Amino acid sequence: MQRTAHIQCTPIATISPGPNPTDLILDAAHRTLFATLAGGNSDSIAVIDISSCNATNTSGCTQTPKQVVFPGSTLWQGGAASVPFGFPAIVDLDETTHTLYVPDANEGPIYILDTSTCIGGTPTCSSPIITAAQGDGVVVERAHHSVFILQAISFSDQVQILDSSTCNSSNQSGCGTPPSQSFTVSFFPNVPATVDEATHTLYMPAQLSNILAVIDTSVCNASTTAGCANFAQVQVGSYGFAAVFDPQTKTVYVENFLSTSMSVVNGATCNAMNHSGCNQKSPVLATGIDPAPFGYNPATQTLYVSSQDTNFAWVLDGSKCNATRTDGCTKNAPATPTGSGPSGLDINPNTATLYVANQSDNTVSIIDTSACNQHQLAGCNQTWQTAPVGSGPFRLAINKTTNTVYVAAFDQTLSVINGATCNATANSSCNQPQPSSTLIGNFPTDLAIDEATNTIYVANNDDDTVSVVDGTHCQGSDTSGCGQSWPTFNASSPQALAFNPSNRTLYVANDTGDSVWIIDTSHCNNHDATDCSAKAVVPVDESPVAIGILFDNSSVLVVHRLEMSVSIFDGATCNATNVAGCPTTPPPAVSFAVFPDTLSNPFEFAYITGRQIVIDQEKHTVFISTLGDTDLVVLNGNSCRPGHLNGCKPKIANPRTGGIPDFAAVDPSSQTVYVANLEELTISIAQDKY
């Protein structure tokens, strides 16, 4: 996360444009700032006179700007009773025709406003003109008189093209009929998009496929769509949200909403006329959590990115991170590819194999950790063997004693993979149409294994239960007993499990009630399930999502999803046989993120910590992945322990991991931490160090 702070960057004045200002656009010729307003009346725009409200003259900043109220659609309701919720509209200005194109992002039409008569200095504005086009966002391409209209909120793959020569502030002859030109793409396009007029290139970010489309507007415009389907693609970060173009450095900055970063694309080698650089991996520049559409000042090469979650704005230096200079770009950890939606993962050091559950394509990737680790990066650049599993595999754990990989999936199956014949060097059973499986509960969120009794515990979140699976005859080499139902015990929306074999304690983190239950597995296992009751209940802070145990000092660490913090209590006096020290009030917690989630924005990405805490038991190093910050947090387990929270000094692993780092696993033998990047379909290769 990079933020530049300057002591002189304090506001010299403020303007009150109206409720919930969102998109801003400047009409420099008329000294007017237009601000779309998401609150109050749907699709209102404030028209602000900046001739007396600027850096040298603030006398007019206390003005009450006039507002232009558009009819608006009331499909979506929000806020006060009977008040329509105006979704932010992404507007664009065609200075050549003095036309502001205003989409009604509440599933309404496109409006146009005459900016030659509706400016900050005029007392009133004429009514907006309604067109027959419809969409959430627009981008103006001037050379071919085209306005590209997107339906981002409805996730439509259709792009309409309005002819701006016949639909503008002075000529509405073509406004009354829907645009005759449109095209569909194989992704969900997003706004704001951006245009390089010199090369006739439209750069359009995508919401879901992690690409930037490079479209030739000379053959894709209001007159012809012959070339609309034939465009180059650039791989960018997760959930392309907005793009701007700097003609000075020929740089396209693409905001990656879920990766909390911006991809930096070289527009000189990746445009409508030259695709030579489009296949290169783009550098990135880190932003804050929940970035909003950003602003760019080409004169100073400064990027301004506001964080919707923290009310901060990041001031980023583009002079050192652009198409020609990258020394100021964010350093990212090396990565290796996986399947779609990499989720739970675990390592079997005996076979040097990392298994990764690919949630979206129902497979498990099988990665050779001897060939791909922090010391052997050359071996990471390859496509890995996969094995089919149940539908929606989410969590994965390995019984190293029986060399069995258990994969819990959303279809309520627990797949059983024979690790002896399906690993990094032996793959004879990997290509079986479907491995053996056994039924578990609904929405499995975690696994824990007691290798001594060969018991597999599965947290079934939606069923409020934990399954107790007998691995004796339901393992890689013997699946004869998998076809049976398993005993369960009640929990309360269990999110995470952790098992301490030294005192036979299963810790169950429950989302409902915000608690950790202490279970004695002596009488709650595959041979004896007579007493699975909680021996103690530890209250913890909000939304416990992951548990880790540092065995040498019995520290129990509980990660809280929304607060981006970790609670720590002493497992030596809070376990299945000794509950004397179990806390009766939430134990102290340590924040491990710069900006914890405040749930202040209705559109924010709230699930901002990962679902797994991993520990190098030899080095006593604790790793916690954070989704929102796209970071891997590192704690020293020797100094950060119960009763010594002042020794908890979170550090951020450097280089940075990839987008949405949800799960992780550590390999002490190579001192490598493998971090699954859920949306970028990669595993980051991080260093095991504090």
Side-chain angles (χ1 to χ4, degrees), residues 19-20 22 37-44 67 69-88 104-108 111 603:
N20 303 110
T22 51
L37 306 175
N41 290 304
S42 182
D43 295 323
S44 300
Q67 291 186 15
V69 179
F70 297 82
S73 168
T74 57
L75 176 64
W76 304 99
Q77 299 288 324
S82 302
V83 176
F85 187 95
F87 277 119
D104 178 352
N106 202 357
E107 301 299 322
Y111 304 90
F603 300 110

Side-chain angles (χ1 to χ4, degrees), residues 583-605:
T584 56
T585 59
V590 176
S591 176
F592 55 77
V594 178
F595 301 113
D597 190 358
T598 60
L599 290 176
S600 60
N601 188 287
F603 300 110
E604 72 181 1
F605 185 66

Side-chain angles (χ1 to χ4, degrees), residues 425-485:
T425 56
N427 60 10
S428 60
S429 69
C430 294
N431 291 320
Q432 292 179 352
Q434 182 73 33
S436 298
S437 64
T438 189
L439 291 178
I440 49 174
N442 193 24
F443 194 59
T445 52
D446 204 2
L447 301 173
I449 297 178
D450 177 359
E451 296 190 3
T453 63
N454 205 352
T455 304
I456 302 92
Y457 300 93
V458 186
N460 307 309
N461 183 265
D462 283 2
D463 288 344
D464 295 327
T465 63
V466 175
S467 295
V468 183
V469 177
D470 184 358
T472 304
H473 298 290
C474 188
Q475 56 175 283
S477 59
D478 179 5
T479 60
S480 60
C482 290
Q484 61 180 289
S485 59

Side-chain angles (χ1 to χ4, degrees), residues 202-217:
L202 170 65
Y203 295 99
M204 186 178 293
Q207 292 176 332
L208 298 180
S209 52
N210 303 346
I211 65 164
L212 176 71
V214 182
I215 299 173
D216 186 350
T217 61

Side-chain angles (χ1 to χ4, degrees), residues 107-131:
E107 301 299 322
I110 304 293
Y111 304 90
I112 59 177
L113 193 66
D114 186 349
T115 60
S116 65
T117 59
C118 182
I119 59 177
T122 58
T124 60
C125 289
S126 58
S127 298
I129 299 166
I130 304 175
T131 77

Side-chain angles (χ1 to χ4, degrees), residues 157-231:
D157 58 359
Q158 184 183 61
V159 179
Q160 293 182 321
I161 311 175
L162 181 68
D163 188 343
S164 62
S165 67
T166 59
C167 187
N168 57 60
S169 61
S170 59
N171 180 2
Q172 291 93 51
S173 61
C175 292
T177 57
S180 60
Q181 301 290 0
S182 66
F183 64 98
T184 57
V185 290
S186 57
F187 59 87
F188 295 131
N190 214 338
V191 289
T194 190
V195 173
D196 177 9
E197 298 282 357
T199 61
H200 307 295
T201 306
L202 170 65
Y203 295 99
M204 186 178 293
Q207 292 176 332
L208 298 180
S209 52
N210 303 346
I211 65 164
L212 176 71
V214 182
I215 299 173
D216 186 350
T217 61
S218 66
V219 289
C220 182
N221 54 57
S223 300
T224 176
T225 57
C228 291
N230 184 23
F231 53 84

